[in-house]
Amino acid sequence: MPGSSIIDDLTARGLLQDATDLEALRRRLDESPIVLYCGFDPTATSLHIGSLLPLLVLRRFQEHGHRPIALAGGATGMIGDPSGRSAERNLLDDATLDANVQGIVAQLRRFLDFDRSGNPARLVDNRDWTAPLSAIDFLRDVGKHVTVNQMLAKESVKARVESESGISFTEFSYMLLQANDYRWLHEHERCELQIGGSDQWGNITAGIDLIRRTSAQHVHGLTFPLMTKADGTKFGKTAAGAVWLDPALTSPYEFFQYWINTDDRDVRRFLLQLTLLPVEEVEAVVAAHTAAPDAREAQRRLAREVTTLVHGADACREAEQASAGFRRPAGELSADELAALAGEIPTTALARPEVEGVDVVDLLVRTGLASSRSDARRAIEGGGVNINDERQAAPRPVEAADLLHGRYLMLRKGKKHRHLVVVE
RNA sequence: GGGUCGGUGCCCGAGUGGCCAAAGGGAACGGGCUGUAAACCCGUCGGUUCUGCCUUCGAAGGUUCGAAUCCUUCCCGGCCCA
């Protein structure tokens, strides 16, 4: 198997946006396994699904025999990458950053194989070599090799320089730190390829230039297109916020639902880029879906694949069951089925006096389904509120008879916003 | 440091003494149509004990019967000059 088949695979999946010298990279990959890296920003305690794509590309490389390094940007995270940003970032403090790095490192572990013989994955934190660097060392060893002219020419910087609010020196310097990461990994880990989203192009080439100037070595860079959605909304964001990989922040059920709701126009690309399914299989699924779009098979397959990848097969099965449970009205579900739903969908446990005799309006607020009592009232007036899947025409107190099996209450606002109340 | 322009609801953005809880757009939410898709149509979108009352237009004071709109000071940002 030629090493460059990974390139063909990435191409077939539409994952190749730019590469520094694709032919040279192919030749290099054919020669012998390569060490490559990709950076992940610890901007939160968890990664979100935007990181799925780079994570899986690393994984694809590893399955082709190459050695991936996942870099947690503990140092660069303190600076803030200006790429794709219109405004200055807030700086994170040490403690927050520590917690964030810890969180994402645990997640990175799930996607790569650290024990694989021959090409085990590695995990690094750029604080290890960046923190000890003095300002003077940095200016002499990195800054000296780069002209401000080149830096200003980078798209990420140019956009911000021309913007109203400008760019701080701190963020301006970001690309030098990333360039230094690449150089460090090149020197210490023999890393020869950096990958990233297309917004990382400027940062990646900065590293390549730095390596060439300081060691006359030619290394590679490769980017993939940023995830977009057909309807123009931001990938990975819902009304509730980001879709996280951490099950405590986004439950497997919510995660599963995110993919189930995928637009027809996006589903093929997502299957190709966010799952490990072979390309031919994706095409077969897509063909079936085109023939019978109302069956939503492609969305279901996508949801299954991605949820299993992130949360495991068991969690995925439970999520899918919860998702399917809604085909029947809540009133028909057994006590066991409702119990299984608890925790899977948004759930609130309340004492009996907090439910019985309490107005639906207050319960909607209590569960977060409505932001205020006015909001709750308006939702009821608009015909959007259901108790146990029965539409409520007007506000009313909840009665003991409403409690399914004596302790469950299924509140629903609109088609998709469900909340289970459990009486303790 | 000087000058100048600006800071309005989730975002953009109109408003420049009463008719302003504040135009318009976007996002969001609800309803309808659907396939848990898209498009489209309709409605809602500060709070509330709801034809009223309360809180809001960077912050604090002031003028006025009445201020998002005028004045003062302060804070923050853009641009120009030094």
Side-chain angles (χ1 to χ4, degrees), chain A residues 135-152:
Chain A
I136 290 174
D137 289 341
F138 175 72
L139 291 172
R140 291 178 62 103
D141 297 343
V142 180
K144 196 65 180 170
H145 302 287
V146 184
T147 67
V148 170
N149 309 48
Q150 291 167 338
M151 292 174 71
L152 287 171

Side-chain angles (χ1 to χ4, degrees), chain A residues 191-254:
Chain A
C191 176
E192 294 173 72
L193 171 65
Q194 181 182 177
I195 64 171
S198 58
D199 59 335
Q200 290 300 307
W201 184 252
N203 293 334
I204 293 173
T205 53
I208 294 173
D209 288 341
L210 180 64
I211 291 169
R212 198 186 56 244
R213 294 213 174 86
T214 54
S215 67
Q217 300 275 312
H218 289 269
V219 293
H220 305 273
L222 187 152
T223 63
F224 26 81
L226 292 180
M227 284 312 257
T228 56
K229 291 208 303 176
D231 62 6
T233 57
K234 215 167 168 180
F235 174 77
K237 287 275 197 283
T238 66
V243 181
W244 303 101
L245 301 192
D246 182 347
L249 297 174
T250 300
S251 76
Y253 162 74
E254 292 167 306

Side-chain angles (χ1 to χ4, degrees), chain A residues 125-184:
Chain A
D125 181 342
N126 60 8
R127 272 184 298 187
D128 292 349
W129 58 85
T130 308
L133 200 61
S134 76
I136 290 174
D137 289 341
F138 175 72
L139 291 172
R140 291 178 62 103
D141 297 343
V142 180
K144 196 65 180 170
H145 302 287
V146 184
T147 67
V148 170
N149 309 48
Q150 291 167 338
M151 292 174 71
L152 287 171
K154 304 277 182 194
E155 195 49 49
S156 57
V157 170
K158 209 192 321 179
R160 287 281 296 280
V161 166
E162 286 163 7
S163 79
E164 266 191 13
S165 46
I167 179 169
S168 68
F169 179 72
T170 307
E171 289 197 12
F172 177 62
S173 315
Y174 178 91
M175 80 168 66
L176 296 183
L177 287 181
Q178 188 165 328
N180 190 50
D181 287 344
Y182 197 176
R183 182 174 70 173
W184 195 92

Side-chain angles (χ1 to χ4, degrees), chain A residues 245-316:
Chain A
L245 301 192
D246 182 347
L249 297 174
T250 300
S251 76
Y253 162 74
E254 292 167 306
F255 189 87
F256 189 89
Q257 287 301 106
Y258 180 81
W259 302 108
I260 281 286
N261 288 323
T262 301
D263 193 312
D264 284 358
R265 293 169 291 178
D266 292 325
V267 76
R268 175 172 178 273
R269 197 161 37 93
F270 287 5
L271 277 166
L272 283 170
Q273 305 188 344
L274 299 173
T275 74
L276 295 170
L277 288 179
V279 175
E280 312 81 69
E281 198 170 342
V282 170
E283 297 302 356
V285 171
V286 171
H289 179 258
T290 310
D294 53 308
R296 305 181 65 74
E297 266 315 313
Q299 277 88 347
R300 194 158 298 118
R301 190 64 191 272
L302 173 69
R304 255 184 227 144
E305 290 295 326
V306 184
T307 308
T308 303
L309 217 47
V310 174
H311 296 298
D314 290 347
C316 176

Side-chain angles (χ1 to χ4, degrees), chain A residues 381-423:
Chain A
E381 278 169 33
V385 173
N386 292 264
I387 294 179
N388 300 332
D389 291 312
E390 279 171 37
R391 180 174 286 188
Q392 301 300 305
R396 68 168 178 90
V398 169
E399 299 158 16
D402 292 318
L403 295 174
L404 304 171
H405 305 284
R407 56 183 303 230
Y408 298 103
L409 194 73
M410 178 68 79
L411 289 173
R412 178 159 63 88
K413 192 182 93 173
K415 282 177 223 169
K416 296 177 185 173
H417 296 272
R418 289 169 180 280
H419 200 107
L420 184 64
V421 174
V422 182
V423 175

